[in-house]
PDB file of all heavy atoms in Angstrom:
ATOM      1  N   PHE S 100      -0.322  41.142 -49.038  1.00 98.00           N
ATOM      2  CA  PHE S 100       0.614  41.782 -48.111  1.00 98.00           C
ATOM      3  C   PHE S 100       1.386  40.671 -47.412  1.00 98.00           C
ATOM      4  O   PHE S 100       0.823  39.623 -47.091  1.00 98.00           O
ATOM      5  CB  PHE S 100      -0.156  42.613 -47.074  1.00 98.00           C
ATOM      6  CG  PHE S 100       0.718  43.260 -46.039  1.00 98.00           C
ATOM      7  CD1 PHE S 100       1.300  44.486 -46.272  1.00 98.00           C
ATOM      8  CD2 PHE S 100       0.977  42.623 -44.832  1.00 98.00           C
ATOM      9  CE1 PHE S 100       2.104  45.085 -45.312  1.00 98.00           C
ATOM     10  CE2 PHE S 100       1.785  43.210 -43.869  1.00 98.00           C
ATOM     11  CZ  PHE S 100       2.346  44.448 -44.119  1.00 98.00           C
ATOM     12  N   SER S 101       2.664  40.910 -47.149  1.00 97.00           N
ATOM     13  CA  SER S 101       3.442  39.936 -46.385  1.00 97.00           C
ATOM     14  C   SER S 101       4.613  40.626 -45.686  1.00 97.00           C
ATOM     15  O   SER S 101       5.110  41.644 -46.165  1.00 97.00           O
ATOM     16  CB  SER S 101       3.965  38.809 -47.282  1.00 97.00           C
ATOM     17  OG  SER S 101       4.874  39.321 -48.221  1.00 97.00           O
ATOM     18  N   TYR S 102       4.984  40.072 -44.554  1.00 95.00           N
ATOM     19  CA  TYR S 102       6.190  40.526 -43.858  1.00 95.00           C
ATOM     20  C   TYR S 102       6.559  39.548 -42.757  1.00 95.00           C
ATOM     21  O   TYR S 102       5.775  38.676 -42.390  1.00 95.00           O
ATOM     22  CB  TYR S 102       6.032  41.952 -43.329  1.00 95.00           C
ATOM     23  CG  TYR S 102       5.386  42.103 -41.967  1.00 95.00           C
ATOM     24  CD1 TYR S 102       6.138  42.514 -40.879  1.00 95.00           C
ATOM     25  CD2 TYR S 102       4.033  41.868 -41.768  1.00 95.00           C
ATOM     26  CE1 TYR S 102       5.552  42.684 -39.634  1.00 95.00           C
ATOM     27  CE2 TYR S 102       3.447  42.040 -40.537  1.00 95.00           C
ATOM     28  CZ  TYR S 102       4.211  42.454 -39.474  1.00 95.00           C
ATOM     29  OH  TYR S 102       3.626  42.619 -38.243  1.00 95.00           O
ATOM     30  N   VAL S 103       7.764  39.707 -42.235  1.00 97.00           N
ATOM     31  CA  VAL S 103       8.253  38.890 -41.129  1.00 97.00           C
ATOM     32  C   VAL S 103       8.437  39.806 -39.929  1.00 97.00           C
ATOM     33  O   VAL S 103       9.118  40.832 -40.014  1.00 97.00           O
ATOM     34  CB  VAL S 103       9.580  38.181 -41.492  1.00 97.00           C
ATOM     35  CG1 VAL S 103      10.127  37.432 -40.292  1.00 97.00           C
ATOM     36  CG2 VAL S 103       9.376  37.254 -42.684  1.00 97.00           C
ATOM     37  N   HIS S 104       7.810  39.427 -38.827  1.00 96.00           N
ATOM     38  CA  HIS S 104       7.843  40.225 -37.603  1.00 96.00           C
ATOM     39  C   HIS S 104       8.752  39.546 -36.588  1.00 96.00           C
ATOM     40  O   HIS S 104       8.616  38.345 -36.322  1.00 96.00           O
ATOM     41  CB  HIS S 104       6.423  40.353 -37.029  1.00 96.00           C
ATOM     42  CG  HIS S 104       6.361  41.107 -35.750  1.00 96.00           C
ATOM     43  ND1 HIS S 104       6.324  42.473 -35.710  1.00 96.00           N
ATOM     44  CD2 HIS S 104       6.344  40.680 -34.464  1.00 96.00           C
ATOM     45  CE1 HIS S 104       6.265  42.869 -34.449  1.00 96.00           C
ATOM     46  NE2 HIS S 104       6.280  41.796 -33.674  1.00 96.00           N
ATOM     47  N   THR S 105       9.677  40.309 -36.020  1.00 96.00           N
ATOM     48  CA  THR S 105      10.539  39.801 -34.955  1.00 96.00           C
ATOM     49  C   THR S 105      10.259  40.612 -33.695  1.00 96.00           C
ATOM     50  O   THR S 105      10.278  41.846 -33.731  1.00 96.00           O
ATOM     51  CB  THR S 105      12.021  39.915 -35.334  1.00 96.00           C
ATOM     52  OG1 THR S 105      12.244  39.165 -36.533  1.00 96.00           O
ATOM     53  CG2 THR S 105      12.916  39.367 -34.239  1.00 96.00           C
ATOM     54  N   GLU S 106       9.997  39.913 -32.634  1.00 94.00           N
ATOM     55  CA  GLU S 106       9.687  40.540 -31.345  1.00 94.00           C
ATOM     56  C   GLU S 106      10.718  40.078 -30.331  1.00 94.00           C
ATOM     57  O   GLU S 106      11.020  38.890 -30.239  1.00 94.00           O
ATOM     58  CB  GLU S 106       8.286  40.114 -30.912  1.00 94.00           C
ATOM     59  CG  GLU S 106       7.796  40.722 -29.640  1.00 94.00           C
ATOM     60  CD  GLU S 106       6.957  41.963 -29.872  1.00 94.00           C
ATOM     61  OE1 GLU S 106       6.631  42.289 -31.018  1.00 94.00           O
ATOM     62  OE2 GLU S 106       6.645  42.622 -28.875  1.00 94.00           O
ATOM     63  N   THR S 107      11.281  41.019 -29.570  1.00 94.00           N
ATOM     64  CA  THR S 107      12.212  40.666 -28.503  1.00 94.00           C
ATOM     65  C   THR S 107      11.768  41.341 -27.212  1.00 94.00           C
ATOM     66  O   THR S 107      11.175  42.416 -27.236  1.00 94.00           O
ATOM     67  CB  THR S 107      13.662  41.100 -28.821  1.00 94.00           C
ATOM     68  OG1 THR S 107      13.692  42.506 -29.035  1.00 94.00           O
ATOM     69  CG2 THR S 107      14.202  40.385 -30.036  1.00 94.00           C
ATOM     70  N   SER S 108      12.078  40.686 -26.098  1.00 94.00           N
ATOM     71  CA  SER S 108      11.681  41.215 -24.802  1.00 94.00           C
ATOM     72  C   SER S 108      12.579  40.623 -23.723  1.00 94.00           C
ATOM     73  O   SER S 108      13.091  39.521 -23.875  1.00 94.00           O
ATOM     74  CB  SER S 108      10.227  40.860 -24.515  1.00 94.00           C
ATOM     75  OG  SER S 108       9.862  41.276 -23.212  1.00 94.00           O
ATOM     76  N   LYS S 109      12.724  41.353 -22.629  1.00 94.00           N
ATOM     77  CA  LYS S 109      13.496  40.843 -21.495  1.00 94.00           C
ATOM     78  C   LYS S 109      12.709  39.783 -20.728  1.00 94.00           C
ATOM     79  O   LYS S 109      13.279  39.007 -19.989  1.00 94.00           O
ATOM     80  CB  LYS S 109      13.880  41.992 -20.568  1.00 94.00           C
ATOM     81  CG  LYS S 109      14.873  42.948 -21.198  1.00 94.00           C
ATOM     82  CD  LYS S 109      15.430  43.901 -20.166  1.00 94.00           C
ATOM     83  CE  LYS S 109      16.389  44.877 -20.789  1.00 94.00           C
ATOM     84  NZ  LYS S 109      17.635  44.289 -21.191  1.00 94.00           N
TER      85      LYS S 109
END
Side-chain angles (χ1 to χ4, degrees):
F100 177 86
S101 65
Y102 86 110
V103 175
H104 178 83
T105 301
E106 183 95 7
T107 58
S108 175
K109 292 191 182 289

